[in-house]
Amino acid sequence: MKMRFLWPLTLFALLAGLLGIGLTLDPKKVDSPLINKNAPAFDLGQLNDSTLHISPDNLKGQVWMLHVWASWCSVCLGEHPLINRLSTMQGLTLVGLNYKDDRLAALSWLNKLGNPYQAVAFDPEGKAGLDWGVYGVPESYLIDKHGVIRYKEVGPINDTVLKETLLPLIAQLQAETL
Amino acid sequence: MMKHLLGLLFVSVFIITSALVSSPAMAAIEVHNFKSPENEARYQHLIDELRCLVCQNQNIADSNAGLAYDLRQKVYEMIQAGKSDTEILNYMVERYGDFVLYRPPVKGYTLLLWFGPFILLFGAVVLLIRFARQRKDLEVFDEAELQDIRTLLKQTSGDPK
């Protein structure tokens, strides 16, 4: 008989628990369907020299990161010191994708704040970005030696993500044989 | 007084009708030339079905975001190139996931999303029936109890009839 009064309480607790979990989720974090898929191809001119082309095919055999950024993106400004630090790391090729930006603005941004990238692809119309499923800047993709996307970070990389996720994953991908 | 009321009535009718007549706001004015009216209808249907990922509770038809513009452009280009609706939606899902669709497909991990509400409804109906039955049980008195009640009523109000 007492159980009857426990029912609503149990239901309430269940519902509160469910909604509580919902609150901790970030709706902006949409899992990329491209994880564990081949990196989409592009063939873009480089930011500092449009006659030099860059394509993911050139980077096969390396562990590399595609970092999507723009000079108009204020969050990128805050993330930049960390990207600069990342560029000094052994065993990671850092490639920039300059997304919907102005060439001169992007170049002066890099001149002022330091250029961490080994190459920057210039994508003023965001066409390559569309193929990669970019929906905001910054975004970072980690690609393994086989050219498969293994990880995506939406928004700026912070120290926690770097230490707990990226660095171990980079070491793991480095250890993989071709 | 009467004049005021009439004026008020006129204004409210005007507001309601203009709200009903005006078409849903398009985010931006874009001129697209389609090869056929069917293609234009397909375009309109597709951009209504696709979610803008930056402003997540809008479709790309209603959104002003740069990404929504790019996606509309892509839908237009693909229609012009003679791609089918399925091909266009697949293109979007391959890049942005099922989330880009306002109506996600029925599959393994969306089962709860599609049928969860019905399961809840079923549970609620079962509970309702149970409670209703219990209520009925409470109303049934046996002969001895009825006798007691009659005696009590007689004592308090004099005449039970």
Side-chain angles (χ1 to χ4, degrees):
Chain A
M1 196 58 194
K2 279 247 173 73
M3 284 299 282
R4 264 185 61 198
F5 301 102
L6 283 178
W7 266 109
L9 198 68
T10 323
L11 278 179
F12 171 76
L14 277 175
L15 201 64
L18 205 65
L19 295 177
I21 293 170
L23 279 180
T24 65
L25 300 176
D26 182 358
K28 292 270 165 198
K29 294 250 189 290
V30 181
D31 279 342
S32 173
L34 289 168
I35 304 282
N36 294 328
K37 299 261 169 65
N38 282 324
F42 60 75
D43 185 25
L44 291 169
Q46 295 196 10
L47 181 67
N48 50 4
D49 185 354
S50 55
T51 59
L52 290 174
H53 276 233
I54 180 164
S55 151
D57 281 345
N58 309 145
L59 294 153
K60 282 245 168 92
Q62 305 178 39
V63 176
W64 61 287
M65 180 184 269
L66 185 78
H67 184 247
V68 187
W69 66 282
S71 67
W72 47 262
C73 150
S74 54
V75 183
C76 302
L77 203 63
E79 191 199 26
H80 201 67
L82 189 143
I83 302 295
N84 276 337
R85 265 193 288 143
L86 202 59
S87 70
T88 61
M89 219 187 114
Q90 292 291 312
L92 180 73
T93 309
L94 200 55
V95 174
L97 180 71
N98 183 241
Y99 181 69
K100 293 191 161 193
D101 208 348
D102 174 70
R103 195 187 284 272
L104 289 178
L107 282 171
S108 78
W109 198 84
L110 288 183
N111 271 335
K112 206 165 69 188
L113 300 161
N115 182 358
Y117 308 108
Q118 279 165 21
V120 180
F122 183 54
D123 186 19
E125 286 160 43
K127 297 231 157 152
L130 199 69
D131 265 345
W132 281 67
V134 171
Y135 57 91
V137 272
E139 280 186 16
S140 312
Y141 299 79
L142 196 61
I143 298 103
D144 71 9
K145 292 176 183 170
H146 303 271
V148 174
I149 297 178
R150 299 292 287 268
Y151 181 78
K152 176 184 180 181
E153 180 70 21
V154 175
I157 300 171
N158 57 34
D159 280 314
T160 322
V161 172
L162 181 69
K163 270 195 209 106
E164 287 172 12
T165 315
L166 277 175
L167 294 182
L169 189 58
I170 291 168
Q172 182 203 324
L173 297 185
Q174 256 324 318
E176 281 176 4
T177 48
L178 204 58
Chain B
M1 185 65 193
M2 203 55 193
K3 248 186 188 171
H4 274 127
L5 272 178
L6 270 176
L8 200 67
L9 189 72
F10 180 76
V11 169
S12 33
V13 166
F14 177 77
I15 290 172
I16 291 167
T17 43
S18 54
L20 287 176
V21 167
S22 70
S23 58
M26 277 290 288
I29 294 150
E30 290 157 22
V31 184
H32 288 312
N33 290 313
F34 290 94
K35 288 173 184 160
S36 69
E38 289 82 54
N39 277 353
E40 187 166 5
R42 281 176 52 210
Y43 172 77
Q44 202 56 48
H45 173 72
L46 283 169
I47 63 173
D48 280 340
E49 286 284 303
L50 289 168
R51 183 193 300 272
C52 167
L53 289 120
V54 185
C55 29
Q56 300 187 334
N57 293 320
Q58 275 187 312
N59 54 21
I60 63 171
D62 284 338
S63 173
N64 258 329
L67 182 75
Y69 172 81
D70 292 349
L71 292 181
R72 282 197 298 269
Q73 198 60 33
K74 190 76 199 174
V75 170
Y76 172 71
E77 283 166 15
M78 288 180 87
I79 285 180
Q80 291 298 86
K83 298 269 195 268
S84 74
D85 287 7
T86 331
E87 280 173 311
I88 295 171
L89 290 178
N90 280 345
Y91 174 91
M92 295 296 171
V93 169
E94 271 168 26
R95 281 153 187 83
Y96 292 100
D98 288 335
F99 191 65
V100 78
L101 304 174
Y102 255 108
R103 272 184 293 171
V106 182
K107 58 184 183 187
Y109 69 92
T110 58
L111 280 181
L112 197 64
L113 181 70
W114 277 97
F115 300 108
F118 297 105
I119 296 170
L120 283 180
L121 184 69
F122 178 74
V125 169
V126 168
L127 280 179
L128 191 72
I129 291 173
R130 261 201 180 173
F131 278 123
R133 285 221 175 118
Q134 273 175 3
R135 269 276 153 89
K136 222 198 266 166
D137 289 346
L138 289 177
E139 282 162 16
V140 177
F141 301 103
D142 60 27
E143 200 45 47
E145 281 170 326
L146 280 174
Q147 201 57 51
D148 284 347
I149 292 166
R150 283 195 201 103
T151 328
L152 277 170
L153 282 172
K154 210 177 275 178
Q155 280 169 5
T156 49
S157 63
D159 189 5
K161 281 167 206 160

